Amino acid sequence: MSRTSARTKARAAARLAAVQALYQHEMEGTAIPALLHEFHHHRIGATIEDVEYAEADVMFFDDLVKGAAARLAEVDRLIEEKLTASWTLTRLDKPMKAILRAGTYELLARRDVPVGAVISEYVDVAHAFYEKRETGFVNGLLDAIARDARAKG
């Protein structure tokens, strides 16, 4: 496997783990430092109930989780601005919120990652939880958010 391919897989695993951590944070209120510790020592690269979790770019994972949590109000505002008037953030289920929060944070803070890569990766993450309709929703919403987030320079 090439170095670029390994990095791409490690970042994809970091994104999926970040979504899972943000979901757990919302569901259980687990403090971010405790979540990071749990994922570092018990999830990333582990085998749990016959499911093998891929090795992740831990620094990238940490940035996504800590950054999305630290900038939650800003991230949620950007998401809500792109939802229709009849559809609020509170109506979204928790896995969808976690996907959109991680993706929005990455679009805001990780200018080293191309917009297309961010959107494509979170659409892939959405496929782990949802059908085509919802993955299209992730694609469209993150695309709209990207136009604003990346335009702000």
Side-chain angles (χ1 to χ4, degrees):
M1 180 179 337
S2 74
R3 212 170 130 232
T4 303
S5 179
R7 180 176 181 218
T8 300
K9 286 185 178 196
R11 282 201 165 183
R15 287 180 180 99
L16 179 59
V19 167
Q20 292 169 328
L22 291 169
Y23 171 81
Q24 184 174 335
H25 177 66
E26 182 159 0
M27 287 297 295
E28 300 172 3
T30 308
I32 297 299
L35 269 178
L36 296 177
H37 182 269
E38 177 184 335
F39 274 76
H40 291 177
H41 297 284
H42 303 291
R43 297 229 190 151
I44 294 173
T47 301
I48 302 170
E49 296 176 9
D50 297 325
V51 175
E52 205 172 305
Y53 289 80
E55 285 296 333
D57 179 332
V58 174
M59 288 177 39
F60 191 69
F61 163 79
D62 287 359
D63 179 49
L64 295 174
V65 175
K66 289 192 282 190
R71 294 176 72 175
L72 188 62
E74 177 185 14
V75 164
D76 282 356
R77 181 182 48 75
L78 286 169
I79 295 167
E80 283 195 313
E81 286 175 358
K82 300 303 176 192
L83 295 171
T84 64
S86 64
W87 200 266
T88 63
L89 191 64
T90 56
R91 282 188 67 190
L92 297 176
D93 66 9
K94 287 173 177 53
M96 180 62 73
K97 280 195 269 189
I99 291 166
L100 294 173
R101 285 171 171 163
T104 299
Y105 170 76
E106 190 170 343
L107 288 167
L108 277 171
R110 297 301 305 238
R111 293 184 180 276
D112 59 312
V113 183
V115 168
V118 173
I119 294 170
S120 175
E121 288 288 327
Y122 287 100
V123 167
D124 286 350
V125 170
H127 278 292
F129 301 95
Y130 298 105
E131 300 298 322
K132 185 176 171 93
R133 182 171 168 226
E134 289 86 356
T135 60
F137 175 76
V138 169
N139 184 52
L141 201 63
L142 289 179
D143 184 57
I145 291 167
R147 285 192 284 266
D148 289 348
R150 295 286 172 106
K152 292 178 180 175

PDB file of all heavy atoms in Angstrom, residues 84-109:
ATOM      1  N   THR A  84     -33.861  23.995   5.846  1.00  0.00           N
ATOM      2  CA  THR A  84     -35.073  24.746   5.519  1.00  0.00           C
ATOM      3  C   THR A  84     -35.735  25.223   6.806  1.00  0.00           C
ATOM      4  O   THR A  84     -35.471  24.685   7.885  1.00  0.00           O
ATOM      5  CB  THR A  84     -36.068  23.878   4.722  1.00  0.00           C
ATOM      6  OG1 THR A  84     -36.482  22.795   5.549  1.00  0.00           O
ATOM      7  CG2 THR A  84     -35.459  23.362   3.433  1.00  0.00           C
ATOM      8  N   ALA A  85     -36.600  26.209   6.679  1.00  0.00           N
ATOM      9  CA  ALA A  85     -37.270  26.784   7.849  1.00  0.00           C
ATOM     10  C   ALA A  85     -38.059  25.741   8.630  1.00  0.00           C
ATOM     11  O   ALA A  85     -38.170  25.825   9.855  1.00  0.00           O
ATOM     12  CB  ALA A  85     -38.180  27.924   7.410  1.00  0.00           C
ATOM     13  N   SER A  86     -38.585  24.748   7.945  1.00  0.00           N
ATOM     14  CA  SER A  86     -39.385  23.721   8.624  1.00  0.00           C
ATOM     15  C   SER A  86     -38.526  22.576   9.172  1.00  0.00           C
ATOM     16  O   SER A  86     -39.046  21.654   9.789  1.00  0.00           O
ATOM     17  CB  SER A  86     -40.437  23.162   7.665  1.00  0.00           C
ATOM     18  OG  SER A  86     -39.805  22.509   6.580  1.00  0.00           O
ATOM     19  N   TRP A  87     -37.229  22.636   8.931  1.00  0.00           N
ATOM     20  CA  TRP A  87     -36.357  21.542   9.378  1.00  0.00           C
ATOM     21  C   TRP A  87     -35.252  22.130  10.243  1.00  0.00           C
ATOM     22  O   TRP A  87     -34.378  22.823   9.762  1.00  0.00           O
ATOM     23  CB  TRP A  87     -35.755  20.820   8.167  1.00  0.00           C
ATOM     24  CG  TRP A  87     -35.282  19.454   8.525  1.00  0.00           C
ATOM     25  CD1 TRP A  87     -34.014  19.101   8.890  1.00  0.00           C
ATOM     26  CD2 TRP A  87     -36.059  18.268   8.588  1.00  0.00           C
ATOM     27  NE1 TRP A  87     -33.960  17.762   9.179  1.00  0.00           N
ATOM     28  CE2 TRP A  87     -35.210  17.220   8.998  1.00  0.00           C
ATOM     29  CE3 TRP A  87     -37.390  17.981   8.346  1.00  0.00           C
ATOM     30  CZ2 TRP A  87     -35.644  15.919   9.162  1.00  0.00           C
ATOM     31  CZ3 TRP A  87     -37.823  16.684   8.514  1.00  0.00           C
ATOM     32  CH2 TRP A  87     -36.953  15.672   8.906  1.00  0.00           C
ATOM     33  N   THR A  88     -35.293  21.850  11.532  1.00  0.00           N
ATOM     34  CA  THR A  88     -34.307  22.405  12.452  1.00  0.00           C
ATOM     35  C   THR A  88     -33.264  21.350  12.822  1.00  0.00           C
ATOM     36  O   THR A  88     -33.480  20.158  12.615  1.00  0.00           O
ATOM     37  CB  THR A  88     -34.985  22.900  13.742  1.00  0.00           C
ATOM     38  OG1 THR A  88     -35.584  21.766  14.390  1.00  0.00           O
ATOM     39  CG2 THR A  88     -36.034  23.965  13.454  1.00  0.00           C
ATOM     40  N   LEU A  89     -32.199  21.811  13.421  1.00  0.00           N
ATOM     41  CA  LEU A  89     -31.144  20.908  13.871  1.00  0.00           C
ATOM     42  C   LEU A  89     -31.694  19.894  14.881  1.00  0.00           C
ATOM     43  O   LEU A  89     -31.300  18.729  14.863  1.00  0.00           O
ATOM     44  CB  LEU A  89     -29.998  21.721  14.485  1.00  0.00           C
ATOM     45  CG  LEU A  89     -28.709  20.987  14.782  1.00  0.00           C
ATOM     46  CD1 LEU A  89     -28.068  20.462  13.507  1.00  0.00           C
ATOM     47  CD2 LEU A  89     -27.729  21.889  15.506  1.00  0.00           C
ATOM     48  N   THR A  90     -32.595  20.318  15.711  1.00  0.00           N
ATOM     49  CA  THR A  90     -33.154  19.404  16.722  1.00  0.00           C
ATOM     50  C   THR A  90     -33.975  18.279  16.098  1.00  0.00           C
ATOM     51  O   THR A  90     -34.166  17.240  16.724  1.00  0.00           O
ATOM     52  CB  THR A  90     -34.024  20.158  17.756  1.00  0.00           C
ATOM     53  OG1 THR A  90     -35.039  20.875  17.064  1.00  0.00           O
ATOM     54  CG2 THR A  90     -33.183  21.111  18.586  1.00  0.00           C
ATOM     55  N   ARG A  91     -34.439  18.460  14.870  1.00  0.00           N
ATOM     56  CA  ARG A  91     -35.198  17.397  14.184  1.00  0.00           C
ATOM     57  C   ARG A  91     -34.281  16.323  13.607  1.00  0.00           C
ATOM     58  O   ARG A  91     -34.746  15.236  13.276  1.00  0.00           O
ATOM     59  CB  ARG A  91     -36.044  17.988  13.057  1.00  0.00           C
ATOM     60  CG  ARG A  91     -37.302  18.641  13.565  1.00  0.00           C
ATOM     61  CD  ARG A  91     -38.219  19.040  12.453  1.00  0.00           C
ATOM     62  NE  ARG A  91     -38.752  17.882  11.750  1.00  0.00           N
ATOM     63  CZ  ARG A  91     -39.429  17.952  10.612  1.00  0.00           C
ATOM     64  NH1 ARG A  91     -39.647  19.115  10.035  1.00  0.00           N
ATOM     65  NH2 ARG A  91     -39.878  16.863  10.017  1.00  0.00           N
ATOM     66  N   LEU A  92     -33.020  16.636  13.428  1.00  0.00           N
ATOM     67  CA  LEU A  92     -32.091  15.639  12.878  1.00  0.00           C
ATOM     68  C   LEU A  92     -31.778  14.595  13.936  1.00  0.00           C
ATOM     69  O   LEU A  92     -31.640  14.919  15.119  1.00  0.00           O
ATOM     70  CB  LEU A  92     -30.784  16.310  12.436  1.00  0.00           C
ATOM     71  CG  LEU A  92     -30.880  17.343  11.320  1.00  0.00           C
ATOM     72  CD1 LEU A  92     -29.500  17.965  11.076  1.00  0.00           C
ATOM     73  CD2 LEU A  92     -31.422  16.730  10.045  1.00  0.00           C
ATOM     74  N   ASP A  93     -31.632  13.344  13.512  1.00  0.00           N
ATOM     75  CA  ASP A  93     -31.255  12.337  14.495  1.00  0.00           C
ATOM     76  C   ASP A  93     -29.776  12.501  14.850  1.00  0.00           C
ATOM     77  O   ASP A  93     -29.017  13.180  14.167  1.00  0.00           O
ATOM     78  CB  ASP A  93     -31.621  10.925  14.033  1.00  0.00           C
ATOM     79  CG  ASP A  93     -30.846  10.439  12.825  1.00  0.00           C
ATOM     80  OD1 ASP A  93     -29.884  11.096  12.402  1.00  0.00           O
ATOM     81  OD2 ASP A  93     -31.201   9.376  12.300  1.00  0.00           O
ATOM     82  N   LYS A  94     -29.393  11.907  15.954  1.00  0.00           N
ATOM     83  CA  LYS A  94     -28.059  12.134  16.507  1.00  0.00           C
ATOM     84  C   LYS A  94     -26.913  11.667  15.595  1.00  0.00           C
ATOM     85  O   LYS A  94     -25.910  12.361  15.477  1.00  0.00           O
ATOM     86  CB  LYS A  94     -27.962  11.547  17.905  1.00  0.00           C
ATOM     87  CG  LYS A  94     -28.747  12.384  18.917  1.00  0.00           C
ATOM     88  CD  LYS A  94     -28.807  11.720  20.266  1.00  0.00           C
ATOM     89  CE  LYS A  94     -29.513  12.531  21.311  1.00  0.00           C
ATOM     90  NZ  LYS A  94     -30.841  13.006  20.995  1.00  0.00           N
ATOM     91  N   PRO A  95     -27.026  10.517  14.917  1.00  0.00           N
ATOM     92  CA  PRO A  95     -25.936  10.159  14.000  1.00  0.00           C
ATOM     93  C   PRO A  95     -25.767  11.193  12.872  1.00  0.00           C
ATOM     94  O   PRO A  95     -24.639  11.539  12.501  1.00  0.00           O
ATOM     95  CB  PRO A  95     -26.353   8.796  13.452  1.00  0.00           C
ATOM     96  CG  PRO A  95     -27.257   8.231  14.485  1.00  0.00           C
ATOM     97  CD  PRO A  95     -27.991   9.413  15.052  1.00  0.00           C
ATOM     98  N   MET A  96     -26.877  11.700  12.346  1.00  0.00           N
ATOM     99  CA  MET A  96     -26.793  12.709  11.287  1.00  0.00           C
ATOM    100  C   MET A  96     -26.138  13.982  11.808  1.00  0.00           C
ATOM    101  O   MET A  96     -25.294  14.578  11.127  1.00  0.00           O
ATOM    102  CB  MET A  96     -28.184  13.012  10.719  1.00  0.00           C
ATOM    103  CG  MET A  96     -28.181  14.051   9.611  1.00  0.00           C
ATOM    104  SD  MET A  96     -27.220  13.563   8.141  1.00  0.00           S
ATOM    105  CE  MET A  96     -28.302  12.312   7.427  1.00  0.00           C
ATOM    106  N   LYS A  97     -26.511  14.401  13.014  1.00  0.00           N
ATOM    107  CA  LYS A  97     -25.885  15.595  13.592  1.00  0.00           C
ATOM    108  C   LYS A  97     -24.387  15.392  13.747  1.00  0.00           C
ATOM    109  O   LYS A  97     -23.601  16.289  13.454  1.00  0.00           O
ATOM    110  CB  LYS A  97     -26.505  15.938  14.948  1.00  0.00           C
ATOM    111  CG  LYS A  97     -27.820  16.665  14.833  1.00  0.00           C
ATOM    112  CD  LYS A  97     -28.215  17.299  16.147  1.00  0.00           C
ATOM    113  CE  LYS A  97     -29.056  16.352  16.941  1.00  0.00           C
ATOM    114  NZ  LYS A  97     -29.653  16.963  18.128  1.00  0.00           N
ATOM    115  N   ALA A  98     -23.979  14.213  14.203  1.00  0.00           N
ATOM    116  CA  ALA A  98     -22.549  13.943  14.396  1.00  0.00           C
ATOM    117  C   ALA A  98     -21.800  14.003  13.061  1.00  0.00           C
ATOM    118  O   ALA A  98     -20.704  14.566  12.982  1.00  0.00           O
ATOM    119  CB  ALA A  98     -22.353  12.592  15.072  1.00  0.00           C
ATOM    120  N   ILE A  99     -22.378  13.447  12.014  1.00  0.00           N
ATOM    121  CA  ILE A  99     -21.754  13.476  10.685  1.00  0.00           C
ATOM    122  C   ILE A  99     -21.619  14.915  10.204  1.00  0.00           C
ATOM    123  O   ILE A  99     -20.545  15.343   9.751  1.00  0.00           O
ATOM    124  CB  ILE A  99     -22.580  12.643   9.677  1.00  0.00           C
ATOM    125  CG1 ILE A  99     -22.499  11.154  10.010  1.00  0.00           C
ATOM    126  CG2 ILE A  99     -22.108  12.911   8.236  1.00  0.00           C
ATOM    127  CD1 ILE A  99     -23.539  10.300   9.295  1.00  0.00           C
ATOM    128  N   LEU A 100     -22.700  15.670  10.305  1.00  0.00           N
ATOM    129  CA  LEU A 100     -22.681  17.050   9.824  1.00  0.00           C
ATOM    130  C   LEU A 100     -21.763  17.932  10.661  1.00  0.00           C
ATOM    131  O   LEU A 100     -21.091  18.819  10.128  1.00  0.00           O
ATOM    132  CB  LEU A 100     -24.099  17.614   9.803  1.00  0.00           C
ATOM    133  CG  LEU A 100     -25.042  16.963   8.794  1.00  0.00           C
ATOM    134  CD1 LEU A 100     -26.466  17.472   8.981  1.00  0.00           C
ATOM    135  CD2 LEU A 100     -24.561  17.182   7.361  1.00  0.00           C
ATOM    136  N   ARG A 101     -21.713  17.698  11.948  1.00  0.00           N
ATOM    137  CA  ARG A 101     -20.834  18.493  12.812  1.00  0.00           C
ATOM    138  C   ARG A 101     -19.367  18.237  12.490  1.00  0.00           C
ATOM    139  O   ARG A 101     -18.582  19.172  12.376  1.00  0.00           O
ATOM    140  CB  ARG A 101     -21.125  18.196  14.280  1.00  0.00           C
ATOM    141  CG  ARG A 101     -22.398  18.847  14.761  1.00  0.00           C
ATOM    142  CD  ARG A 101     -22.805  18.379  16.142  1.00  0.00           C
ATOM    143  NE  ARG A 101     -23.912  19.176  16.652  1.00  0.00           N
ATOM    144  CZ  ARG A 101     -24.678  18.808  17.661  1.00  0.00           C
ATOM    145  NH1 ARG A 101     -24.465  17.642  18.288  1.00  0.00           N
ATOM    146  NH2 ARG A 101     -25.658  19.590  18.072  1.00  0.00           N
ATOM    147  N   ALA A 102     -18.992  16.979  12.350  1.00  0.00           N
ATOM    148  CA  ALA A 102     -17.601  16.665  12.017  1.00  0.00           C
ATOM    149  C   ALA A 102     -17.241  17.231  10.649  1.00  0.00           C
ATOM    150  O   ALA A 102     -16.183  17.846  10.470  1.00  0.00           O
ATOM    151  CB  ALA A 102     -17.371  15.158  12.057  1.00  0.00           C
ATOM    152  N   GLY A 103     -18.118  17.044   9.677  1.00  0.00           N
ATOM    153  CA  GLY A 103     -17.863  17.551   8.327  1.00  0.00           C
ATOM    154  C   GLY A 103     -17.788  19.057   8.274  1.00  0.00           C
ATOM    155  O   GLY A 103     -16.907  19.632   7.613  1.00  0.00           O
ATOM    156  N   THR A 104     -18.683  19.726   8.975  1.00  0.00           N
ATOM    157  CA  THR A 104     -18.686  21.194   8.997  1.00  0.00           C
ATOM    158  C   THR A 104     -17.426  21.714   9.663  1.00  0.00           C
ATOM    159  O   THR A 104     -16.788  22.651   9.165  1.00  0.00           O
ATOM    160  CB  THR A 104     -19.952  21.724   9.703  1.00  0.00           C
ATOM    161  OG1 THR A 104     -21.097  21.276   8.976  1.00  0.00           O
ATOM    162  CG2 THR A 104     -19.957  23.241   9.782  1.00  0.00           C
ATOM    163  N   TYR A 105     -17.053  21.113  10.787  1.00  0.00           N
ATOM    164  CA  TYR A 105     -15.810  21.536  11.449  1.00  0.00           C
ATOM    165  C   TYR A 105     -14.619  21.369  10.506  1.00  0.00           C
ATOM    166  O   TYR A 105     -13.788  22.268  10.386  1.00  0.00           O
ATOM    167  CB  TYR A 105     -15.564  20.765  12.754  1.00  0.00           C
ATOM    168  CG  TYR A 105     -14.170  21.047  13.256  1.00  0.00           C
ATOM    169  CD1 TYR A 105     -13.877  22.256  13.874  1.00  0.00           C
ATOM    170  CD2 TYR A 105     -13.135  20.147  13.025  1.00  0.00           C
ATOM    171  CE1 TYR A 105     -12.586  22.559  14.270  1.00  0.00           C
ATOM    172  CE2 TYR A 105     -11.844  20.443  13.420  1.00  0.00           C
ATOM    173  CZ  TYR A 105     -11.572  21.651  14.041  1.00  0.00           C
ATOM    174  OH  TYR A 105     -10.288  21.957  14.414  1.00  0.00           O
ATOM    175  N   GLU A 106     -14.559  20.235   9.834  1.00  0.00           N
ATOM    176  CA  GLU A 106     -13.424  20.000   8.934  1.00  0.00           C
ATOM    177  C   GLU A 106     -13.402  21.029   7.811  1.00  0.00           C
ATOM    178  O   GLU A 106     -12.332  21.522   7.430  1.00  0.00           O
ATOM    179  CB  GLU A 106     -13.461  18.577   8.381  1.00  0.00           C
ATOM    180  CG  GLU A 106     -12.189  18.213   7.644  1.00  0.00           C
ATOM    181  CD  GLU A 106     -12.065  16.745   7.287  1.00  0.00           C
ATOM    182  OE1 GLU A 106     -12.784  15.892   7.847  1.00  0.00           O
ATOM    183  OE2 GLU A 106     -11.222  16.448   6.420  1.00  0.00           O
ATOM    184  N   LEU A 107     -14.553  21.374   7.277  1.00  0.00           N
ATOM    185  CA  LEU A 107     -14.608  22.401   6.233  1.00  0.00           C
ATOM    186  C   LEU A 107     -14.147  23.756   6.759  1.00  0.00           C
ATOM    187  O   LEU A 107     -13.470  24.504   6.053  1.00  0.00           O
ATOM    188  CB  LEU A 107     -16.032  22.516   5.670  1.00  0.00           C
ATOM    189  CG  LEU A 107     -16.476  21.357   4.790  1.00  0.00           C
ATOM    190  CD1 LEU A 107     -17.982  21.415   4.566  1.00  0.00           C
ATOM    191  CD2 LEU A 107     -15.720  21.356   3.462  1.00  0.00           C
ATOM    192  N   LEU A 108     -14.490  24.061   7.998  1.00  0.00           N
ATOM    193  CA  LEU A 108     -14.096  25.329   8.600  1.00  0.00           C
ATOM    194  C   LEU A 108     -12.608  25.387   8.927  1.00  0.00           C
ATOM    195  O   LEU A 108     -11.949  26.386   8.641  1.00  0.00           O
ATOM    196  CB  LEU A 108     -14.859  25.545   9.915  1.00  0.00           C
ATOM    197  CG  LEU A 108     -16.239  26.114   9.867  1.00  0.00           C
ATOM    198  CD1 LEU A 108     -16.885  26.022  11.248  1.00  0.00           C
ATOM    199  CD2 LEU A 108     -16.219  27.551   9.383  1.00  0.00           C
ATOM    200  N   ALA A 109     -12.116  24.356   9.550  1.00  0.00           N
ATOM    201  CA  ALA A 109     -10.795  24.424  10.180  1.00  0.00           C
ATOM    202  C   ALA A 109      -9.668  23.732   9.428  1.00  0.00           C
ATOM    203  O   ALA A 109      -8.503  24.024   9.692  1.00  0.00           O
ATOM    204  CB  ALA A 109     -10.893  23.832  11.587  1.00  0.00           C
TER     205      ALA A 109
END
